[in-house]
């Protein structure tokens, strides 16, 4: 009988840093994920997300979260994929870090997005979990470039990007969760410009995942 990781190799990926473990969220993790969301991510009315999913009515948010994670799996192909990692700190699920790619075999480019429980912000965890997926993308998958974005008022998110070597890459105007206009800062990081942490990333499950997305032989 096949294991779940053999059926869907992304479930076998494990990224470990000195303080964190990142692994793909499964259905059994959703209740704990909702505990993290309910603990608060940002101040009311100050959503940092282009799609203000965290401000959905409380009775709708759990099902919305489940639909999102089911959707990342059902739409997963070698040409278009999203790794929706949960982030565990001392055994507690405290946030999520995503890594996405479109036509990765040709473009060698990735994008990222993340959120973290408010009571764990300011500990350097946001930088550590972003560094984990960048090291995986550059050193294992063979990416050459990573992109990200944040609203210009979101200094904490931008600070994480700048601390890892990202450079500004243009502005875009969007509507915020209150219906007003806001500026979004795009950022770009070329692999050779990554400001690498002092620690080494530990990775499990890479070879099976690389084959699953058509990287044969695996990049590392």
């Amino acid at each position: 009988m096949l294991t779940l990781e053999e059926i869907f190799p992304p479930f076998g990926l494990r990224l470990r840093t000195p303080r964190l473990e990142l692994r793909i969220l499964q259905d059994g993790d959703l209740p704990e994920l909702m505990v993290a969301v309910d603990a608060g991510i940002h101040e009311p009315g100050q959503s940092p997300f282009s799609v203000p999913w965290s401000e959905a009515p409380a009775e709708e948010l759990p099902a919305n979260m489940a639909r999102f994670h089911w959707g990342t799996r059902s739409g997963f192909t070698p040409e278009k994929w999203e790794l929706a990692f949960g982030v565990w700190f001392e055994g507690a699920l405290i946030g999520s870090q995503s890594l996405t790619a479109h036509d990765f075999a040709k473009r060698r480019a990735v994008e990222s997005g993340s959120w973290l429980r408010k009571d764990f912000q300011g500990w350097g965890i946001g930088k550590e979990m972003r560094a984990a997926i960048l090291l995986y993308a550059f050193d294992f998958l063979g990416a050459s470039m990573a992109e990200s974005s944040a609203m210009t008022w979101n200094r904490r998110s931008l600070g994480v990007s700048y601390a890892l070597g990202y450079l500004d890459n243009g502005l875009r105007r969007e509507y915020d969760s209150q219906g007003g206009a806001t500026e979004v800062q795009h950022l770009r990081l070329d692999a050779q410009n990554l400001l690498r942490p002092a620690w080494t990333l530990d990775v499990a499950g890479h070879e099976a995942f690389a084959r699953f997305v058509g990287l044969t032989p695996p990049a590392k």
Side-chain angles (χ1 to χ4, degrees):
M1 181 183 297
L2 293 174
T3 66
L4 186 59
E5 290 79 7
E6 289 171 330
I7 293 170
F8 190 65
F11 283 147
L13 271 177
R14 299 286 188 277
L15 310 184
R16 297 184 180 91
T17 74
R19 295 186 293 176
L20 309 174
E21 179 177 82
L22 282 69
R23 61 179 187 269
I24 303 304
L25 288 155
Q26 300 185 23
D27 285 358
D29 300 316
L30 293 176
E32 188 180 4
L33 187 69
M34 283 309 306
V35 171
V37 172
D38 290 341
I41 302 169
H42 56 79
E43 297 299 327
Q46 295 184 2
S47 172
F49 309 117
S50 294
V51 177
W53 59 267
S54 55
E55 297 186 328
E59 66 275 13
E60 298 177 10
L61 189 52
N64 288 350
M65 291 289 287
R67 292 187 191 101
F68 169 77
H69 287 283
W70 293 335
T72 63
R73 301 174 209 159
S74 65
F76 201 110
T77 68
E79 294 75 30
K80 182 180 179 180
W81 48 261
E82 177 168 0
L83 294 171
F85 290 102
V87 180
W88 277 262
F89 172 73
E90 296 183 351
L93 178 54
I94 61 170
S96 179
Q97 174 71 67
S98 67
L99 182 70
T100 64
H102 298 247
D103 294 322
F104 182 79
K106 296 178 181 178
R107 297 180 63 238
R108 296 290 167 168
V110 294
E111 298 179 27
S112 65
S114 64
W115 61 265
L116 186 64
R117 270 180 57 161
K118 189 165 58 175
D119 50 343
F120 285 92
Q121 295 172 15
W123 296 15
I125 290 175
K127 179 181 176 183
E128 192 168 326
M129 62 199 225
R130 180 97 67 88
I133 58 104
L134 290 173
L135 290 170
Y136 182 62
F138 292 150
D139 296 348
F140 288 79
L141 296 176
S144 61
M145 186 262 288
E147 295 176 302
S148 188
S149 64
M151 295 179 185
T152 52
W153 57 260
N154 192 352
R155 306 312 301 176
R156 181 166 283 172
S157 177
L158 290 171
V160 167
S161 296
Y162 296 143
L164 289 166
Y166 286 81
L167 298 175
D168 291 343
N169 194 34
L171 292 168
R172 181 181 75 247
R173 179 160 290 185
E174 291 186 355
Y175 290 110
D176 62 24
S177 61
Q178 304 302 305
T182 188
E183 297 286 331
V184 176
Q185 179 68 63
H186 291 270
L187 303 119
R188 171 177 174 145
L189 173 64
D190 293 318
Q192 67 271 19
N193 295 330
L194 173 63
L195 299 178
R196 291 176 172 269
W199 44 266
T200 300
L201 181 70
D202 180 67
V203 176
H206 166 66
E207 291 190 359
F209 174 73
R211 287 192 293 269
F212 189 62
V213 295
L215 299 177
T216 306
K220 182 173 181 179

